Amino acid sequence: MTTTEQTSAGAQGAGSHSLEVGSARLRKEDRRLITGRTRFTDNIALPGMLHLAMVRSPVAHGRITSIDTKAALESSGVVAVLTGRDLAEQHDSLPNAWPITEDQKSPGHAAVAVDTVNFSGEVVACIIARSAAEARDAIELVDVEYDDLPVVLDIETAAAGGDLVHPDLGTNVSATWVFDSAEMGTGSDVEDAIREARDGGVLIERKYRQQRLIPAFMEPRSVVVDPTHEQVTMWSATQIPHILRLMLAMTTGIPESKLHVIAPDVGGGFGGKLQVTPEEIITLLAAQRTGRPCKYTETRSESLMAAHHGRDQVQKLTLSAKQDGTVTGLRVELLADMGAYLGLVTSGVPILGAFMFNAIYKFPAYHFSCTNVFTNKAWTDAYRGAGRPEATFAIERLMDELAAELGVDPLEIREKNWIKHEEFPFATVAGLEYDSGNYEAATEKARQLFGYDELRAEQKRRRDSNDPVQLGIGISTFTEMCGLAPSRVLGSLSYGAGGWEHAAVRMLPTGNVEVVTGSSPHGQGHETAWSQIVADKLGVPFDNIEVLHGDTQVASRGMDTYGSRSLTVGGMAVLKAADKVIDKARAIAAHMLEASPDDLEFSEGRFGVKGTDKGVAIGEVALATFAAHDLPDGVEANLDSEATFDPDNFSFPHGTHLCAIDVDTETGESRIRKYVCVDDVGTVVNPLIVEGQVHGGLVQGIAQALFEEAVYDDSGTLVTGSFVDYLVPSAPDVPEFVTDRTETRSTTNELGAKGVGEAGTIASTPAVVNAVVDALRPMGINDVEMPCTPHKVWKAIQGRSQTTPPAPSSEQSVAGTEGGVA
Ligand code: MCN
């Protein structure tokens, strides 16, 4: 593993002492995380607390004809059994905060099903008991009868009509959203480009499937509600305590001021905890009804079955190009599976991808349409990358297909089409403005680290010798829009919230600092990174800074953590609040030094009078505000400040990922031999955290390429309902990664930083699948559906080997343009 050490810092304010920003500090939160001094939601025990268990539907689509709760009510320890009818009056439909069109169709979504169930795993009753064991024991005693309704599972069938998931909507289509570069004035007409390509250019037409994935966070979802005080307190394993509080108020009618939401230590989320869940609402209502604290923690199987899923799209793609490899246009037609309901941002997830299919390339014509479709499966929503991995996969696979079609190196075809570093800022055909980037530098570095030419030479040798183990080389040169932010842009996409972030910085009388952030970390290390930013800014030791978060009484405002936004939006709010502390302290320091504020310079935590050795430390100023004996007129007696930051633009990290994979053509097994990535996330606050984020992201993207898939049987039952069947890779399944960085500052924030939380996931899936297909291309194979399991690879080989010789000796074989074979 190699890393480039950072030397420049985004946060100014420090002098010659070593900067915190850019140093590989160990994460301060890890002290408590690895010594068991954490408090996860399920660790919370309150006096008189009751426990909940959910009765879940075994059928995917059915009318509830009767629910008999008598036996359960008589069971040991059971206090109450609540059905959908019992709770229906107490809450509105669960929220969908992103209606993508004015005429979007959305079914009502009750926390507990009332008349019909629409996916297997939906809650039909809730048991409240003295202990978790007694609550679970009573599940089987609730007798629910269903009249089966037709089960709609296949997205293409659902989109075509026929049986309906929600007959009252009259259609399975929730909404169709279109972007066209000619209409929007961002480019030319894609149909013209396609026509021209048909008359003498190159046309690549493909259909790719993004399989359904399940966010497999380490800590399952858990919620505790205490209704015994004036304010109702909810602890939840959530990514979004602030949004959750607002949504709970809007859904249940409890005034926001009477709701206190805490996200204690949260064991991962990956987008899966960016949700307002039925279970949170049920626990809240159960606590209100019983007047006692209530707790619900899901089992792993419940988590897999009923927490929202991710991806699940069918992508129909047409890429047009000239014979010299210049891409002229791209048409994208998506079907996106919503599952049975629309969750918090379900409908908007594929739309986020709309802005990324053009990726780092500068072709002139683009058309995107997406049809959101209901099926009788768990609802989908944000999952690491949310829309952007799907888009990146499609374009990076297409670039490889174009290269194969033309018989040129896939790196060359990318270079021919990408935006050159001197062309930034760059207005894209999808209507965004990319801030900065240097694709040439990242690619060159990756190429060297990978040993690209040597590996291509080895590949040729193995192809020529008909080696049963073929070498595949996969490329992904990605970018993504992150730092989900500009409120105005989000508003133009009908997103229901803004994208700002809030922070408070308070210098205490001892000179120690409290930082309050509206971001809500659940594994990303904000306590460490925010301390580094403030340490440089205020000249205070790293260890003297405390970061508080995840509690709506402590951090009253926030937009929480998702979309790799926390550093570029939340970290910037922290930086701005720290600036205000310095401004406030300057007036007092000037008074103390009997100087004009303009004559003071602030460096390494000290105000000095220019040209003299007179000075005062900011900590002394803080103490002076506490005593307040001699403050200048009109100055507050504290060094507290707040700031809200809302950038004008997203940030666009990028990178080049290269994957070498050995594919055993006899068994179908693929083993990654070498994985190199060079990421550019602008200024790096903490290289160790960035490295960790990239590693985690890579594993998650590789998981989609090779391992994970949510599978339903024909009756709509989730087959992959445990970790025995849902294959989350562990350390032995992934290679050692070679990571490095280039550093192109973002121009959208003062730190110069770009997000990293999703980068690895977005980039790695196409790199791996491109490598698998590259290994098999001489056999006439131009696609393997994800996940590329040994069985699927083997089947692809068997399917083609009857008509195609196993391995032609040419260096680069030209594949046909029809769809894949898996
Ligand atoms: N960072 C940095 N320098 C940069 C960019 C980021 O030092 N140039 C640091 C930040 O200071 C922060 C971390 O890297 O400590 C991630 O920052 P950022 O990219 O802003 O992402 P967020 O903090 O907003 O995290 C969200 C992102 C998402 S969207 C998913 S999904 C995800 C992820 O983070 N889920 C995670 N990483 C995860 N990591 C863990 N352990 N668990 C999850 O559930």
Side-chain angles (χ1 to χ4, degrees):
M1 174 167 68
T2 55
T3 53
T4 307
E5 282 317 313
Q6 158 110 5
T7 49
S8 70
Q12 38 40 359
S16 56
H17 79 292
S18 65
L19 290 167
E20 282 292 345
V21 168
S23 83
R25 276 275 184 190
L26 292 178
R27 300 198 322 177
K28 49 167 71 171
E29 41 277 85
D30 287 346
R31 274 178 230 150
R32 64 170 199 282
L33 285 167
I34 61 176
T35 54
R37 284 182 290 127
T38 44
R39 191 158 78 146
F40 292 98
T41 304
D42 194 47
N43 298 136
I44 293 165
L46 300 174
M49 190 166 76
L50 298 170
H51 297 261
L52 271 54
M54 304 299 166
V55 181
R56 294 182 183 275
S57 169
V59 305
H61 202 192
R63 194 165 290 113
I64 301 169
T65 54
S66 69
I67 303 184
D68 184 350
T69 59
K70 194 162 172 291
L73 277 167
E74 287 166 1
S75 174
S76 159
V78 172
V79 173
V81 180
L82 302 175
T83 64
R85 287 198 190 289
D86 297 326
L87 297 178
E89 298 294 307
Q90 280 179 267
H91 72 291
D92 290 337
S93 174
L94 268 71
N96 167 245
W98 199 341
I100 57 165
T101 58
E102 274 175 20
D103 61 352
Q104 169 179 288
K105 297 203 166 35
S106 181
H109 186 188
V112 179
V114 180
D115 297 315
T116 51
V117 287
N118 292 302
F119 72 97
S120 153
E122 186 165 359
V123 180
V124 289
C126 157
I127 295 162
I128 308 174
R130 282 186 317 231
S131 71
E134 285 169 316
R136 279 196 196 129
D137 283 350
I139 290 176
E140 287 186 9
L141 301 175
V142 178
D143 190 8
V144 188
E145 292 198 352
Y146 305 89
D147 266 354
D148 285 342
L149 292 168
V151 175
V152 183
L153 296 172
D154 178 65
I155 184 173
E156 290 177 274
T157 316
D163 292 327
L164 296 180
V165 177
H166 302 287
D168 49 326
L169 297 182
T171 173
N172 285 326
V173 172
S174 172
T176 299
W177 192 92
V178 178
F179 178 97
D180 186 272
S181 59
E183 266 172 38
M184 297 301 288
T186 57
S188 48
D189 191 337
V190 86
E191 297 308 322
D192 290 344
I194 291 172
R195 215 171 300 117
E196 277 166 29
R198 211 166 259 136
D199 301 338
V202 189
L203 213 53
I204 308 288
E205 294 173 273
R206 291 288 186 276
K207 188 162 134 185
Y208 295 133
R209 201 176 71 94
Q210 295 287 326
Q211 79 269 34
R212 183 173 271 252
L213 300 177
I214 309 181
F217 22 76
M218 210 184 285
E219 178 205 15
R221 297 172 308 158
S222 181
V223 53
V224 172
V225 177
D226 182 0
T228 61
H229 301 282
E230 180 66 15
Q231 262 199 331
V232 178
T233 301
M234 174 183 283
W235 292 261
S236 181
T238 180
Q239 294 174 224
I240 51 162
H242 298 93
I243 295 173
L244 178 59
R245 181 168 83 143
L246 175 63
M247 291 297 146
L248 289 174
M250 289 169 91
T251 310
T252 64
I254 302 172
E256 211 182 341
S257 55
K258 301 276 183 211
L259 282 168
H260 173 200
V261 175
I262 302 171
D265 284 313
V266 176
F270 309 114
K273 291 174 182 167
L274 166 50
Q275 193 56 270
V276 178
T277 68
E279 293 83 355
E280 283 163 335
I281 298 204
I282 296 166
T283 311
L284 176 59
L285 300 182
Q288 277 198 312
R289 281 201 156 217
T290 57
R292 289 169 62 175
C294 285
K295 181 198 277 187
Y296 170 72
T297 300
E298 67 185 358
T299 63
R300 180 60 68 181
S301 288
E302 284 181 294
S303 184
L304 291 167
M305 192 188 336
H308 75 240
H309 293 176
R311 314 277 192 266
D312 211 346
Q313 293 180 359
V314 173
Q315 309 173 310
K316 220 176 125 196
L317 308 153
T318 310
L319 181 98
S320 57
K322 295 183 186 165
Q323 282 295 345
D324 70 355
T326 307
V327 177
T328 55
L330 175 66
R331 184 173 63 201
V332 176
E333 295 158 278
L334 290 191
L335 288 179
D337 195 333
M338 305 285 98
Y341 298 107
L342 301 183
L344 195 61
V345 296
T346 302
S347 21
V349 166
I351 307 310
L352 280 177
F355 302 97
M356 284 286 104
F357 275 90
N358 52 304
I360 68 169
Y361 310 110
K362 50 181 181 183
F363 50 81
Y366 175 50
H367 179 91
F368 170 95
S369 75
C370 175
T371 302
N372 287 349
V373 180
F374 292 113
T375 59
N376 290 114
K377 290 180 274 188
W379 75 95
T380 56
D381 209 308
Y383 177 52
R384 205 169 193 171
R388 291 155 288 159
E390 297 92 316
T392 305
F393 177 88
I395 185 68
E396 288 304 297
R397 287 285 297 108
L398 289 177
M399 292 311 273
D400 260 32
E401 295 305 302
L402 177 62
E405 180 72 24
L406 295 171
V408 299
D409 187 287
L411 269 180
E412 229 176 277
I413 205 89
R414 285 169 168 81
E415 193 171 354
K416 189 171 189 61
N417 287 286
W418 71 36
I419 304 157
K420 307 283 179 292
H421 73 274
E422 65 274 10
E423 292 175 303
F424 290 93
F426 187 87
T428 76
V429 73
L432 297 181
E433 186 176 279
Y434 288 178
D435 51 354
S436 60
N438 190 335
Y439 309 141
E440 300 92 322
T443 304
E444 186 47 35
K445 204 168 200 180
R447 194 188 167 107
Q448 296 302 331
L449 285 169
F450 190 65
Y452 187 79
D453 296 336
E454 295 79 358
L455 282 164
R456 280 284 181 217
E458 179 188 334
Q459 179 181 56
K460 181 173 183 324
R461 282 197 302 278
R462 280 161 64 174
R463 284 181 177 175
D464 288 347
S465 65
N466 271 349
D467 194 324
V469 179
Q470 286 290 313
L471 174 63
I473 294 170
I475 299 162
S476 162
T477 46
F478 84 106
T479 187
E480 56 139 334
M481 79 205 239
C482 69
L484 282 196
S487 297
R488 284 188 192 153
V489 178
L490 296 178
S492 72
L493 294 173
S494 335
Y495 180 61
W500 48 265
E501 193 47 272
H502 187 77
V505 172
R506 303 192 280 255
M507 182 165 272
L508 307 176
T510 52
N512 288 2
V513 178
E514 272 178 357
V515 176
V516 182
T517 175
S519 67
S520 194
H522 43 281
Q524 294 88 349
H526 296 175
E527 291 172 34
T528 305
W530 289 194
S531 298
Q532 291 179 266
I533 291 171
V534 172
D536 280 354
K537 197 80 196 167
L538 298 183
V540 172
F542 172 83
D543 288 325
N544 293 5
I545 299 162
E546 213 60 54
V547 178
L548 309 172
H549 58 80
D551 182 328
T552 59
Q553 271 184 2
V554 176
S556 57
R557 287 177 220 290
M559 273 293 176
D560 308 317
T561 288
Y562 44 85
S564 303
R565 67 188 303 273
S566 299
L567 178 60
T568 54
V569 193
M572 272 303 299
V574 168
L575 192 76
K576 296 239 169 248
D579 270 333
K580 288 189 182 174
V581 166
I582 296 170
D583 289 347
K584 233 170 155 178
R586 182 184 298 275
I588 302 166
H591 182 72
M592 291 167 82
L593 295 165
E594 296 177 340
S596 154
D598 294 340
D599 288 339
L600 298 189
E601 53 194 3
F602 182 66
S603 170
E604 295 187 33
R606 189 176 164 81
F607 290 98
V609 183
K610 286 178 202 160
T612 74
D613 58 358
K614 270 174 65 179
V616 61
I618 190 166
E620 293 173 67
V621 179
L623 188 61
T625 64
F626 177 72
H629 294 163
D630 183 22
L631 297 182
D633 290 342
V635 165
E636 284 180 359
N638 60 58
L639 288 189
D640 296 358
S641 71
E642 296 191 28
T644 300
F645 183 68
D646 194 343
D648 295 335
N649 197 357
F650 304 97
S651 74
F652 298 89
H654 68 87
T656 296
H657 289 220
L658 297 172
C659 173
I661 206 159
D662 284 325
V663 179
D664 187 327
T665 58
E666 288 170 354
T667 65
E669 197 192 1
S670 308
R671 279 206 86 79
I672 299 177
R673 197 167 98 192
K674 189 165 190 183
Y675 196 101
V676 169
C677 59
V678 175
D679 285 286
D680 194 322
V681 297
T683 304
V684 168
V685 171
N686 186 319
L688 197 63
I689 293 179
V690 164
E691 178 88 8
Q693 287 293 316
V694 169
H695 275 220
L698 290 177
V699 177
Q700 234 153 346
I702 290 170
Q704 172 165 18
L706 297 180
F707 301 105
E708 295 182 17
E709 178 172 23
V711 179
Y712 285 89
D713 70 12
D714 291 344
S715 67
T717 301
L718 184 72
V719 176
T720 50
S722 81
F723 280 164
V724 173
D725 300 298
Y726 190 80
L727 190 54
V728 179
S730 55
D733 299 311
V734 291
E736 201 176 323
F737 302 117
V738 179
T739 65
D740 208 326
R741 295 194 311 271
T742 53
E743 200 176 297
T744 315
R745 283 178 64 90
S746 173
T747 51
T748 65
N749 63 77
E750 200 179 314
L751 283 164
K754 305 178 177 192
V756 75
E758 296 156 292
T761 306
I762 293 169
S764 57
T765 310
V768 175
V769 176
N770 275 340
V772 172
V773 174
D774 186 54
L776 302 176
R777 203 178 288 282
M779 299 173 139
I781 293 166
N782 66 10
D783 191 25
V784 178
E785 214 174 64
M786 293 187 291
C788 304
T789 58
H791 184 229
K792 280 197 188 148
V793 171
W794 183 83
K795 255 177 63 185
I797 294 167
Q798 300 313 302
R800 279 296 161 118
S801 58
Q802 291 143 17
T803 51
T804 320
S809 57
S810 69
E811 187 168 353
Q812 201 78 36
S813 87
V814 176
T817 56
E818 74 284 357
V821 295

